[in-house]
């Protein structure tokens, strides 16, 4: 960022309660500090104004945010003593009065809502830099991976920056926007949400030139109550876009490919962006503008043929397993195309760049061999769509002689009223793919076993109460030659299992009769052992549409309900 202090003060919408040095009003503010620990990196400028041996904070504003554990207002005195040009404080008169005497230079502004002030500063900074091209990314699943693909694509052609990690909320998005350097020509900003109206708020800050919606999934059902509300929430990103901007949608998602419904929501929002789609399937005989055909998975990646606007464009590949990651690559190509990158640059720079992206480089879905077994370590989080996608990756991994495909699947949280049925659907996916063994970790994950058992497939389902108990048994259960997936919601701490496997698994050969003798634990979910009928509800299919369907589960017993 680079804004004059007087512009920052105006953007906050707050009241100036302590006037500092007049000459500071024309000083350029280069950073906004919200973490008080960053003030400790140097001694700063003392009350006398004499330069100390520490860091110079005179180009900084300190913004006090009140969180669950810390109140930034407790540190405004320290910020003033370090010589920051501006303090944006909450309503705390005594603390402001105590801090005011520490420096005659620092300006102090009081705001009712400092978090809103943070967003206002970021919005003003963005408005002052209209030449910067920003791509916004949202969606139920795959936002961070998509963001990394788009950033890799844009960075191959122009200086670009993006959201760090998954800092995609009302604190992370302003931090991202304000952290964009003067030399960057493009940026990628990820936007998450906890309810209706939040993406609209973030999009108003970001003002994206291009926006991508990866998909509409069940991940937000507990918060929003329906898939329709999720679609509406994600489409709010268009409220921050102008008429000449472009919205990029997943054409294979049932709720995003519904042109009539999407257009109606956009009209309601007063948004009129151009729309292009990406995907791997034809819809009513028409291909999306950016299309992948002849999908060919291989160990550690996927090859495909790339088509743009109906014509073959190039042979392409990605260095990450799973068709779901092809969607992220297609979105990145669509963003590069929309931002006007020349075709030669897309062929010679963008495609090699996205092919070089690996799970290790973005800290997701790590696939590696440990002690003779392949482990897919994807413990960061889990929703129905991402779990099913990783099961497909597992199903395509090669195994050694006598080896099995084993999935440790934890609870998928925050699914609200569809939690049980979504877990059942994952179990059905396991059975349909022929996964050899599924270990269900957690009370909700038990429904995965019930859903799969009704298929009477070769898949065996076991139940264990938590990841700690699963980790204790995992090293004895998994053997050399197996391929293993470990995935569950972050709160399930499934990393306990993957860490245990990496340090102590696969040390012995598969016994010849292991398929008959290998058992994970005492509680096995046997197909045909019990019966429950008449279970009805909504079942996810066709890219996110819900339809009534009866479940005749062969598996649930009264004691397990």
């Amino acid at each position: 960022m680079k804004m004059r202090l007087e512009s920052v003060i105006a953007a906050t919408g707050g009241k100036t309660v302590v006037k500092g040095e007049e000459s500071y009003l024309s000083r350029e503010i280069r950073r906004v500090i919200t973490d008080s620990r960053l003030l400790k990196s140097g001694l700063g400028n003392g009350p006398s104004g004499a330069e100390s041996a520490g860091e110079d904070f005179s180009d900084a504003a300190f913004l006090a945010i009140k969180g669950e554990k810390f109140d930034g207002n407790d540190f405004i005195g320290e910020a003033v003593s370090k010589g920051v040009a501006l303090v944006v404080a909450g309503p705390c008169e005594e603390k402001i009065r105590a801090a005011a005497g520490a420096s005659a230079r620092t300006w102090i502004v009081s705001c009712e809502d400092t978090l809103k002030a943070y967003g206002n500063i970021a919005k003003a900074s963005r408005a002052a830099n209209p030449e910067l091209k920003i791509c916004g990314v949202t969606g139920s699943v795959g936002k961070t991976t998509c963001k990394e693909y788009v950033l890799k694509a844009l960075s191959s052609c122009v200086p670009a920056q993006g959201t760090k990690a998954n800092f995609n909320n009302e604190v992370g998005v302003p931090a991202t926007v304000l952290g964009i350097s003067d030399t960057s020509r493009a940026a990628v900003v990820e936007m998450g949400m906890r309810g209706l109206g939040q993406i609209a708020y973030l999009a108003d800050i970001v003002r994206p030139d291009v926006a991508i919606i990866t998909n509409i999934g069940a991940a937000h059902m507990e918060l929003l109550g329906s898939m329709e509300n999720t679609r509406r929430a994600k489409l709010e990103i268009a409220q921050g876009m102008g008429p000449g901007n472009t919205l990029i949608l997943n054409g294979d998602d049932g709720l995003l490919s519904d042109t009539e419904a999407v257009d109606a929501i956009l009209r309601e929002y007063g948004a009129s962006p151009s729309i292009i789609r990406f995907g791997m399937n034809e819809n009513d005989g028409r291909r999306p503008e950016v299309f992948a055909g002849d999908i060919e998975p291989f160990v550690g990646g996927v090859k495909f043929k790339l088509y743009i606007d109906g014509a073959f464009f190039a042979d392409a590949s990605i260095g990450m397993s799973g068709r779901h990651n092809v969607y992220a690559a297609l979105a990145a190509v669509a963003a590069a195309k929309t931002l006007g990158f020349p075709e030669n640059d897309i062929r010679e720079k963008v495609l090699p760049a996205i092919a070089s992206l690996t799970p290790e480089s973005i800290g997701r879905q790590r696939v590696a061999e440990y002690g003779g077994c392949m482990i897919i370590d994807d413990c960061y989080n889990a929703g129905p769509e991402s779990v099913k996608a990783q099961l497909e990756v597992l199903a395509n991994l090669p195994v050694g002689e006598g080896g099995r495909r084993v999935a440790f699947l934890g609870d998928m949280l925050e699914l609200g009223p569809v939690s049980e049925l979504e877990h059942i659907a994952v179990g059905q996916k396991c059975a349909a793919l022929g996964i050899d063994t599924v270990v269900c970790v957690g009370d909700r994950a038990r429904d995965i076993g019930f859903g799969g058992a009704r298929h009477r497939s070769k898949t065996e389902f076991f139940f264990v109460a938590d990841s700690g108990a699963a980790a204790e048994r995992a090293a004895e259960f998994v053997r050399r030659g197996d391929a293993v997936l470990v995935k569950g919601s972050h709160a399930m701490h499934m990393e306990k299992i993957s860490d245990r496997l990496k340090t102590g698994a696969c040390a012995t050969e598969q016994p010849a009769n292991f398929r008959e003798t290998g058992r994970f634990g005492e509680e096995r979910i046997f197909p045909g052992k019990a019966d429950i009928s008449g279970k009805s509800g909504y079942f996810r299919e066709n890219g996110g549409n819900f339809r009534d369907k009866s479940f005749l589960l062969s598996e649930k017993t009264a004691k397990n309900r």
Side-chain angles (χ1 to χ4, degrees):
M1 69 174 293
K2 185 169 64 174
M3 293 176 63
R4 289 163 60 100
L5 175 58
E6 59 185 348
S7 298
V8 176
I9 292 174
T12 66
K15 177 183 178 182
T16 300
V17 291
V18 175
K19 290 186 177 182
E21 187 171 312
E22 287 292 329
S23 64
Y24 266 37
L25 289 175
S26 59
R27 182 180 290 265
E28 285 188 345
I29 301 301
R30 310 286 299 190
R31 51 187 169 149
V32 176
I33 298 172
T34 59
D35 187 342
S36 62
R37 292 171 295 184
L38 297 179
L39 296 170
K40 302 183 186 302
S41 59
L43 296 176
N45 296 328
S48 66
E51 287 292 320
S52 71
E55 184 175 348
D56 183 0
F57 289 99
S58 63
D59 65 347
F62 175 73
L63 187 136
I65 295 177
K66 187 174 183 178
E68 293 181 2
K69 297 181 179 179
F70 299 99
D71 184 353
N73 292 300
D74 293 337
F75 301 95
I76 61 176
E78 181 178 1
V80 173
S81 69
K82 295 294 185 182
V84 298
L86 173 67
V87 167
V88 181
C92 53
E93 293 183 12
E94 291 186 8
K95 294 175 183 178
I96 291 173
R97 193 180 304 115
S103 172
R105 293 181 173 181
T106 302
W107 290 71
I108 302 179
V109 172
S110 178
C111 299
E112 287 296 323
D113 186 342
T114 56
L115 192 56
K116 185 177 179 180
Y118 196 23
N120 288 340
I121 296 169
K123 181 178 178 179
S125 176
R126 166 57 171 145
N129 190 10
E131 295 81 12
L132 177 73
K133 299 301 180 182
I134 295 185
C135 177
V137 178
T138 192
S140 295
V141 179
K143 294 185 293 294
T144 300
T145 298
C146 182
K147 175 258 299 182
E148 294 292 344
Y149 268 96
V150 176
L151 180 57
K152 194 75 172 177
L154 303 188
S155 298
S156 70
C157 299
V158 298
Q161 289 177 250
T163 301
K164 289 180 168 54
N166 65 332
F167 298 159
N168 58 20
N169 61 10
E170 63 270 36
V171 176
V173 168
T176 298
V177 172
L178 293 171
I180 298 172
S181 71
D182 300 338
T183 58
S184 289
R185 292 173 53 195
V188 188
V189 182
E190 180 181 335
M191 289 178 248
M193 58 132 213
R194 295 193 308 275
L196 288 167
Q198 290 207 328
I199 291 179
Y201 170 75
L202 297 176
D204 188 48
I205 294 171
V206 173
R207 291 288 166 178
D209 301 279
V210 177
I212 298 168
I213 302 180
T214 60
N215 47 52
I216 305 299
H220 310 291
M221 287 294 288
E222 188 170 68
L223 297 170
L224 297 174
S226 72
M227 298 289 286
E228 174 59 25
N229 280 344
T230 302
R231 173 168 61 182
R232 294 179 63 83
K234 297 302 181 183
L235 284 169
E236 287 175 3
I237 197 168
Q239 294 187 44
M241 305 176 74
N245 299 149
T246 301
L247 183 61
I248 301 173
L249 304 177
N250 184 339
D252 292 349
D253 185 284
L255 292 175
L256 293 176
S257 62
D258 187 340
T259 303
E260 184 177 343
V262 168
D263 288 348
I265 294 170
L266 293 178
R267 284 195 300 272
E268 179 185 336
Y269 289 163
S272 56
S274 301
I275 297 178
I276 69 169
R277 289 178 168 86
F278 60 91
M280 292 179 259
N281 300 314
E282 294 185 357
N283 186 10
D284 294 331
R286 296 181 60 187
R287 289 179 171 179
E289 288 85 345
V290 180
F291 178 80
D294 298 331
I295 311 296
E296 185 181 340
F298 61 89
V299 177
V302 184
K303 297 177 182 177
F304 58 95
K305 293 189 180 298
L306 176 64
Y307 296 81
I308 296 180
D309 294 331
F312 174 74
F313 187 79
D315 289 313
S317 67
I318 59 172
M320 294 176 65
S321 299
R323 291 169 62 94
H324 59 292
N325 287 316
V326 176
Y327 285 118
L330 294 177
V333 171
K337 172 183 181 293
T338 300
L339 289 172
F341 288 18
E343 288 189 0
N344 282 344
D345 281 355
I346 296 177
R347 282 195 184 91
E348 297 173 9
K349 296 179 181 179
V350 170
L351 293 182
I354 63 178
S356 70
L357 202 61
T358 64
E360 292 76 18
S361 64
I362 64 173
R364 298 291 179 92
Q365 189 209 305
R366 296 174 291 277
V367 183
E369 181 178 344
Y370 294 88
C373 61
M374 296 295 294
I375 298 177
I376 307 171
D377 182 4
D378 192 11
C379 301
Y380 177 74
N381 217 335
E385 295 81 8
S386 62
V387 172
K388 292 173 188 175
Q390 293 292 32
L391 286 168
E392 291 186 0
V393 174
L394 176 63
N396 284 298
L397 278 183
V399 295
E401 184 177 354
R404 307 156 299 165
R405 293 178 176 87
V406 179
F408 290 85
L409 301 180
D411 291 352
M412 301 180 294
L413 304 177
E414 299 182 358
L415 296 180
V418 299
S419 177
E420 182 178 3
L421 299 181
E422 290 292 358
H423 283 87
I424 287 171
V426 167
Q428 293 171 330
K429 183 74 170 181
C430 292
L433 291 172
I435 305 301
D436 294 291
T437 302
V438 178
V439 179
C440 308
V441 182
D443 288 339
R444 293 176 179 85
R446 190 193 296 264
D447 286 323
I448 294 174
F450 297 145
R454 68 185 290 266
H455 279 262
R456 300 181 182 274
S457 69
K458 70 172 186 176
T459 305
E460 287 188 310
F461 294 87
F462 296 91
F463 169 76
V464 65
D466 56 57
S467 57
E472 289 178 8
R473 304 177 192 175
E476 290 76 36
F477 182 74
V478 174
R479 295 293 187 268
R480 187 182 301 275
D482 288 348
V484 183
L485 166 65
V486 185
K487 189 166 180 63
S489 285
H490 187 67
M492 296 302 295
H493 299 291
M494 298 294 283
E495 68 277 1
K496 294 179 182 179
I497 301 170
S498 57
D499 290 347
R500 182 72 181 93
L501 290 175
K502 292 173 186 178
T503 57
C506 315
T508 61
E509 300 293 338
Q510 285 279 13
N513 65 341
F514 193 77
R515 286 184 184 275
E516 287 72 41
T517 62
R519 294 289 180 265
F520 186 80
E522 293 294 328
E523 189 167 356
R524 182 185 179 200
I525 302 175
F526 289 93
K529 191 174 181 180
D531 179 77
I532 183 171
S533 60
K535 188 115 182 115
S536 63
Y538 288 101
F539 179 74
R540 288 184 47 73
E541 57 182 27
N542 296 333
N545 295 321
F546 280 79
R547 298 182 179 180
D548 287 320
K549 180 164 288 192
S550 293
F551 289 90
L552 300 178
L553 304 183
S554 62
E555 196 25 64
K556 288 198 173 180
T557 63
K559 71 175 183 178
N560 287 333
R561 296 307 298 144

